[in-house]
Amino acid sequence: MSQPASYAPEEVRRRDAVRLHLVRCIRGGIPVRLPDFDKALSVPEERFALLEIGAEPNDFTGIAGLYRYQFEGEEDLLHLIVTRTDGQVLSAEEGQEVAGFVLEGVPPALIWLRPGTYSQHFYFGHDHLVEIQTDLGA
């Protein structure tokens, strides 16, 4: 996964905070859930339901440039959802670029991509993020 030249300092801080919170939840056995549905923010639209997933304020989302990312997890698998903040078509390459930023340090060979038209979905094991964050001192 490629990483763009730079992101704004607040985007890097948010990414780091989200990752640290994810690791704390994983270590504590706390499920990484999608935010509670807010009808005013996540209005299902004509093309795809839940295109605005992660619009509700929550600890597992952030913005990187024109893109929104949202984490959710299962027993041993994390799911990263990437969409455009303007709701436009999102290429697999754009999604991979954002995932490269958000998942910096996770080996790309361990990340599975499920491409879509308006969202890109990435899956990887919890343990990979925990290992990376532990190496970073978290």
Side-chain angles (χ1 to χ4, degrees):
M1 313 231 160
S2 62
Q3 182 176 344
S6 65
Y7 281 99
E10 62 272 10
E11 293 169 337
V12 173
R13 282 192 296 276
R14 178 63 186 165
R15 177 209 53 197
D16 293 348
V18 168
R19 285 174 53 140
L20 183 59
H21 186 65
L22 280 168
V23 168
R24 288 180 177 152
C25 288
I26 292 165
R27 287 182 178 153
I30 300 167
V32 178
R33 300 200 192 280
L34 292 173
D36 291 336
F37 181 75
D38 182 336
K39 192 171 159 181
L41 294 174
S42 288
V43 180
E45 53 116 271
E46 296 173 9
R47 295 174 294 184
F48 295 96
L50 301 178
L51 189 58
E52 294 295 321
I53 205 163
E56 300 88 351
N58 71 89
D59 293 330
F60 304 114
T61 193
I63 301 292
L66 298 174
Y67 310 96
R68 175 181 292 113
Y69 57 90
Q70 172 72 52
F71 282 97
E72 62 118 359
E74 298 173 12
E75 293 80 28
D76 63 350
L77 189 68
L78 279 174
H79 173 202
L80 171 64
I81 304 161
V82 178
T83 59
R84 287 182 56 111
T85 56
D86 61 6
Q88 296 301 307
V89 170
L90 173 70
S91 71
E93 292 79 15
E94 288 173 294
Q96 287 174 320
E97 189 172 284
V98 175
F101 167 67
V102 177
L103 301 177
E104 182 179 4
V106 176
L110 302 177
I111 302 169
W112 177 61
L113 164 65
R114 182 172 178 244
T117 303
Y118 294 94
S119 61
Q120 303 300 326
H121 301 263
F122 301 87
Y123 301 87
F124 60 99
H126 287 166
D127 54 334
H128 302 301
L129 187 60
V130 170
E131 288 170 11
I132 297 304
Q133 287 300 122
T134 299
D135 291 343
L136 295 174

